[in-house]
Amino acid sequence: MNAKAVVVDGVFKKKERHVKANARDFNDKFSYADNRIKTSKYDIFTFLPINLFEQLQRVANAYFLVLLTLQLIPEISSLSWFTTIVPLVLVLVITAVKDATDDYFRHKSDQQVNNRQSQVLSGGSLQNEKWMNVRVGDIIKLENNQFVTADILLLCSSEPNGLCYIETAELDGETNLKVRQALTITSDLGDISKLMDFDGEVVCEPPNNKLDKFTGTLYWRDSKYPLDNGKVLLRGCVLRNTEWCFGMVIFAGLQTKLMQNCGRTNFKRTSIDKLMNTLVLWIFAFLICMGVILGMGNTIWESRIGRNFQAFLPLSELQSSAVFSGFLTFWSYIINLNTVVPISLYVSVEVLRLGHSYFINWDRKMYHRQTDTAAEARTTTLNEELGQVEFVFSDKTGTLTQNIMVFSKCSINGRKYGDVYDEFDQKVEITDKTACVDFSSNPLCDRGFKFYDGSLSEAVKLEDAAVQEFFRLLALCHTVMLEEKSEGLLVYQAQSPDEEALVTAARNFGFVFRARTPETITLCEMGRTVTYHLLAILDFNNVRKRMSVIVRNPQGQIKLYSKGADTVIFERLDPSSDDLMCTTSEHLSEFAGEGLRTLALAYRDLDENHFEVWMKKLLFASTVIENREDQLAVLYEEIEQGLKEMLTTTAIEDKLQEGVPETIACLNLADIKIWVLTGDKLETAMNIGYSCNLLRDDMNEVFVVSGHTLLEVQQQLRSAMEHIHSLSRAGIAGDADKSDMFADDSAFEETVIAEYALVINGHSLAHALEPQLEHVLLDLACLCKAVICCRVTPMQKAQVVELVKRHRGAVTLAIGDGANDVSMIKTAHIGVGLSGQEGMQAALASDYSFAQFRYLQRLLLVHGRWSYFRMCHFLRYFFYKNFAFTLVHFWYGFFCGFSAQTVYDQWFITLFNIVYTSLPVLGMGLFDQDVSDHNSLRYPGLYKPGQRNLLFNKRQFFLCTLQGMGTSFLLFFIHYGAFFAMAREDGSHFSDQQAFAVTIATSLVIVVTVQIGLDTHYWTAVNHLFIWGSVAVYFVILFAIQSNGIFGIFPSHFPFIGTASSCLSEKSVWLVILLTTVVCVVPGLAVSFLRVDLFPTLTDKVRHLQQSRRRKRPPERNPRRVRRTSSHRSAYAFSHQQGYGELITSGKNMRTGTVSPARSPARTQHSSNWMENILKRSNEVSCISDEQHKAATV
Amino acid sequence: MMASSYNAKEEDGHHSGAPAHGGAAAAAAKSKKPDNTAFKQQRLPAWQPILTAGTVLPAFFVIGLIFIPIGIGLFVTSNNIREFEIDYTGVDVDSPCYSCARNFSWNNTAPCLCSVDFTLEQPFESNVFMYYGLSNFYQNHRRYVKSRDDSQLYGDRSALTNPSKECEPYRMSDGQAIAPCGAIANSLFNDTLELYHIDSNGTRNTIPLVKKGIAWWTDKHVKFRNPGGNNNLTAAFRGTSKPVNWRKPVYDLDPSDPDNNGFINEDFIVWMRTAALPTFRKLYRIIQKKAVTTPTLPSGRYVLNISYNYPVLSFDGRKRMILSTISWMGGKNPFLGIAYITVGSICFFLGVVLLIIHHKYDTRNNSADIPN
């Protein structure tokens, strides 16, 4: 795949890629990949050989191939070739059909992509070309909202300065717009003739998968221009807000970064899978043991009895010695007994999992109407593991929260708005039905906005100065960009959702942000258009935690509007407003307690002269090269002092996804530990922790670990540990003996009754994840009910998951929605992606995807539990059935001279697993339900057996094989006893081999069918059909292959002619079958009855309850309402990025040409830097790389 | 499973603008909402049996109550069956066939004759079936079992002259195909048994033995067929050779009756139906009941005349002659009756034990302890 630039004439270094624009001949020399992609594996001609080859590489299939070869040796072959080849072919065909369908869809999707249209510059004009015909070096035109065809170098665009905007949701999951800018020198190549003449040559790195890095050089007109990531548009991005742009293709098709990133997904195996493989090995060993025993038996028999029996049965030349005969018999028995390792096992398991996946896809209760997304099982191999999850690692933003900010409350001048009161002055809970304020009088309002407290709009209408000033501030002090799609249809492009919420609120209350130029901001205040001169933007950064704007209003007053974190704003308030501050601060706590994100606002009037002086200083400072940032900060600080006049605070609701607290509560009851791993700040994360019920006020202790050095972290962890130990020691102090239990960690864990939570930040986590501390961390974390890790990098997310996965041996599940969750999703046993707002990256990397966090509850507690339950029952029965079936041969060995003579008809052996008994067990594996979905959710405790691996483990395997062995023993010896001296009703002898075979086979089929009947908890029509149908099919086939007709055609293959009819017409045969069935089934029945009766599990109890409630419809249960607790927790989260202020004042991103460039030297200085700054910063935020992680650990 | 994570459909995502085909209405109708069918939502109506004392315990009692009478019936029936068995192998020095057994040689052309006297204490009322029994004879050995050619026995001409390889080493003899080939046919039981009743005045009355009707109908009429037309068996078998151990060729098995000769000779067919266990009996002759009033075999003294051709001593085998009547459930078989009685009693007993346990320790009915 990684076609390196080919060395053509020795001049080029191997590791470089040379691409020349508009020069196909030149580029052809290197034979770069063209833009055709191919994800399909086969075509019509290669399908058969390749697929067959792949399938035969699998161990199970290879094993059967070996068996088949063994069967071709006549001396060994104890079974005809068809007994193995029929199942093998069936398995191969089923798998091949599945592979072929998969590949067909890949072909279709490839074709769809390859045939997309793009505009390529060739022969002097733009030509429509299919994507697959685009070549490296071509110059192509992209239009707004088009997908980028290949990895291209941006040459020019419709926007000024060669800017263009892209959305990279498909690549990294971020939906915010990113800016790319062409080289200045190419940005004016706007027309076709100039582009035709462009013959620049790009020398760059070979194809790689780093999405955030690109290095190259453009050689054009004898100059060199460095190229970086900011000049390249990658395949998979979408062009936004840009009418058109031109670019030159650098990487195409499979060499694009997108395709280079699409590695084969690593193959996840479930623990059942691993167990199954171990068990198959055990069975294999067992098989060899049996083979050895019987082989040795054969040697003894041949030397003792067979030797004397030669008059009637001479040894063949090959088997001249008894030992050698024993050796051959060993292989014969390996063939005979091969059905203990059933070939149909693997294929049946696959079918089951596929079926379970379809049930997930079909579940309407996991379908999200708003986004029209159904749940999707993207991997079909992990379903039963969903029933064993112990740890859930969740992302916060977009997963627990919607990442939609809603302006919900505010406090203006000491008055609180936003709550709704009824006529008795009681606070009313806001629901969907609550009447919201009607904004229809405002033609520019945003219809999606909802506010419930009418008093605020009253206040606006009454022209309350403070309220008006409040909304004016919201409308002015921000860095939102505006797009007016048509008259009155405003679209705000905000870089943080908080800001958008605030500006939208102002808009609805009549202070509409209408237009922005680098120097002005135009508002529509209560219907009047007012233009403010924007004098300065004091930009946001993480230290300042606030932003301000200085504007001159039409009256000529200069005002500074400021918004920021409450603590920061409070510090800078004029002392005169202390009273107000108290009230506001109270309101603030109240808001924060409700889980709202708060923000404080203030403004001050500026004196003209004072401002002039300050402005000069600012201009000077911005030209300084050294310490510019620091100097600016000092200046900002200076002018932001003494804020007064108005103090208000707004509360924005970081809306939780629907049903999050309920889901978390429910999962907690199912003993699933939930860890939240977020990139957010500690306060935000804790706040969300409280609002979604992960942290509660009634918890004994919430440990916060936020040390900066290894020692600090160690100490904090240790002291937390101490704390827990001392508390629980105190709790059980009365019982002195129990103190010994501390030695044993797991036992200790059980004794912790108190509830703890751990909050740890990224820095500390970096230390805590080091080898010497990781055990302390893990132990502590596992003692806590809830764990929140904040400020973690994607890498750390994965490390945390890995830590638990490695040391706890528990099944982990990671759920997230963004690109930053991909590593964690891929690391965990099960990755769940939310296919929601933030692009598809997480969903693409995941094993399961759906729209809402709350569906996790159903996925785990219903589908996971059922899958696990079904799979375990399926496996137990499957092993039982095969042991019962096969081991009869073992017992028979002792009575047929260890000659590897089969008990059954060969056709019966061929068909037993694939026809006679496959469907009932598949039906059970697909449809069985012990308790209904409703009850699964209602009693989360039902989930626990899965976590403890109780339903299928080595012990269970041993028990079910024991049952199988017992059944085979009884089957054989009852028939032995009955047939020892048996005559038909007409006196003819009856103890012949064929009658024996038919009777024992019929008994076997009936016994295993009765057994599956007893094991099936949920008899749907399909189960009835399968179970009764299988028995019927058995008899139909039995009579068919023992009929006169088929014997007449193939006399040597169907020698059992007439046996069934002579045999099954005997009363005594049916008496034997009845006896066998009862004897084989009753002990199991008694044992399971005793178990249910004496030691009922929760499942049994719920089943019982379910049964007794069936008659009367269960009363509709009100959904579990989880009240969030409220206490004072102030949080401030401001997901701003620095640099946007600069961007606005520079006017770089303004479309209108009204900006007069280079008005002042300071501004030019600014503008040359802003682009790099902004790119640098956005990189810092969005691409948290390993390097940074390492830096953090050092 | 191993699919690459890239998929064009997903690249399109939800951004794919207006669909080129069909309008907005078509797109709206094409919602991804899963169908609301009972099957897809896993709500299929179902019978959900659970193990309760109310269902399991009665089952045990019912099984017990059904099995015990059946067992008693079987046991009584089995006991009412008359059966007489005599071992004529000739192991002991004082047994009449001792010398025949000792002096056996494959080359003997003249059969060795011996006769055994025995007495029936009780009369055999209904039809009597005469079996020969062999012990320690591994008719179920794999190499033995497969050593036959069903096509040849079915009268297939090509298989007649070119038998299956499975018949080795009894496939060809002196360049001619053996018919019937294989070890089974080769080891055909060839003792001849005759039965005489010695009445009170000492005269020997031959008891007529019916040799037809001893094979299964399908075997006799479908599975075994003589090659070619029936008219001349000697001609039909021309070019084949007799099995090595046989004294006469297959078309001479019963020259008196063309319907019982060649491959469709019933003694041969019976032998070819191989036994499941190393100790077995095969039907040899039938003694028809003649009159309603007299027993088929009255009690008294009998003589069994044996032409001793079949060597079993070398592998420590035994040969027996068995006389037996039958009932509705076949021959004498005490096993089934005893087994039924035992299983029935155990089930009943188990039912009682479970009932006691259930009453003493029942915990499930108070389902109040389900944590909610």
Side-chain angles (χ1 to χ4, degrees), chain A residues 67 70 75-78 284-299 319 322-338 898-900, chain B residues 142:
Chain A
L67 276 184
L70 279 179
E75 299 303 327
I76 288 175
S77 169
S78 47
F284 199 74
F286 177 68
L287 172 66
I288 289 177
C289 280
M290 285 193 299
V292 168
I293 293 173
L294 294 166
M296 273 160 40
N298 182 264
T299 305
Q319 284 162 301
V323 176
F324 190 66
S325 159
F327 174 74
L328 290 179
T329 310
F330 167 77
W331 290 109
S332 302
Y333 268 111
I334 296 290
I335 295 172
N336 250 4
L337 301 173
N338 79 71
F898 305 95
S899 60
Chain B
R142 179 168 60 90

Side-chain angles (χ1 to χ4, degrees), chain A residues 971-984:
Chain A
L971 260 178
F972 180 77
F973 284 99
I974 288 175
H975 286 84
Y976 176 82
F979 273 76
F980 193 79
M982 201 167 186
R984 274 172 50 156

Side-chain angles (χ1 to χ4, degrees), chain A residues 2 51 70 97 178 299 359 471 551 564 606 651 767 1002 1067:
Chain A
N2 239 342
N51 187 263
L70 279 179
V97 166
K178 300 215 169 65
T299 305
F359 281 129
F471 285 117
V551 294
L606 289 180
H767 295 301
T1002 310
K1067 293 181 204 76

Side-chain angles (χ1 to χ4, degrees), chain A residues 609-792:
Chain A
N609 299 333
H610 179 203
F611 175 70
E612 285 295 325
V613 173
W614 182 82
M615 196 63 196
K616 285 207 176 90
K617 283 196 241 171
L618 180 70
L619 287 180
F620 176 74
S622 44
T623 52
V624 173
I625 294 164
E626 267 175 56
N627 292 337
R628 186 161 64 97
E629 303 253 324
D630 294 345
Q631 294 202 16
L632 284 177
V634 172
L635 278 172
Y636 289 171
E637 183 73 43
E638 178 191 324
I639 200 137
E640 282 168 343
Q641 284 303 328
L643 299 169
K644 55 177 177 185
E645 304 290 328
M646 175 191 68
L647 180 91
T648 57
T649 167
T650 64
I652 295 173
E653 186 178 358
D654 186 359
K655 273 198 149 175
L656 284 183
Q657 299 272 10
E658 240 176 285
V660 165
E662 289 84 357
T663 306
I664 287 182
C666 183
L667 294 183
N668 259 330
L669 283 177
D671 268 5
I672 298 173
K673 296 204 165 93
I674 299 174
W675 295 26
V676 174
L677 309 177
T678 173
D680 257 322
K681 290 172 192 155
L682 189 88
E683 294 84 2
T684 322
M686 278 180 77
N687 202 13
I688 289 299
Y690 277 103
S691 63
C692 64
N693 224 33
L694 204 55
L695 304 178
R696 287 188 308 277
D697 280 334
D698 56 356
M699 285 185 149
N700 298 48
E701 190 81 43
V702 175
F703 304 109
V704 178
V705 177
S706 55
H708 283 275
T709 63
L710 188 68
L711 270 177
E712 260 180 279
V713 174
Q714 185 171 17
Q715 215 217 316
Q716 285 173 353
L717 289 176
R718 292 257 153 85
S719 70
M721 248 349 214
E722 292 281 293
H723 186 88
I724 295 179
H725 280 245
S726 62
L727 254 194
S728 37
R729 203 167 285 144
I732 50 168
D735 200 344
D737 305 326
K738 280 202 179 164
S739 53
D740 296 336
M741 289 171 83
F742 295 133
D744 185 0
D745 247 2
S746 59
F748 173 60
E749 232 173 86
E750 308 285 313
T751 65
V752 176
I753 324 123
E755 296 197 340
Y756 301 96
L758 174 71
V759 180
I760 185 165
N761 74 12
H763 275 297
S764 316
L765 195 61
H767 295 301
L769 284 175
E770 278 174 30
Q772 65 264 46
L773 274 188
E774 60 178 22
H775 282 284
V776 185
L777 172 72
L778 195 63
D779 291 343
L780 178 62
C782 289
L783 290 176
C784 293
K785 285 269 170 186
V787 177
I788 297 178
C789 306
C790 40
R791 280 265 170 254
V792 291

Side-chain angles (χ1 to χ4, degrees), chain A residues 113 116 899 985 987 1071 1103, chain B residues 8 12 50 131 142 326 340:
Chain A
V113 172
R116 281 190 195 146
S899 60
E985 287 156 44
L1071 286 173
R1103 275 170 64 78
Chain B
D12 275 348
I50 55 175
Y131 302 89
R142 179 168 60 90
I326 55 162
Y340 262 87

Side-chain angles (χ1 to χ4, degrees), chain A residues 272-287:
Chain A
I272 293 254
D273 250 332
K274 287 173 202 148
L275 178 61
M276 216 159 75
N277 285 344
T278 321
L279 295 182
V280 166
L281 284 182
W282 284 12
I283 294 179
F284 199 74
F286 177 68
L287 172 66

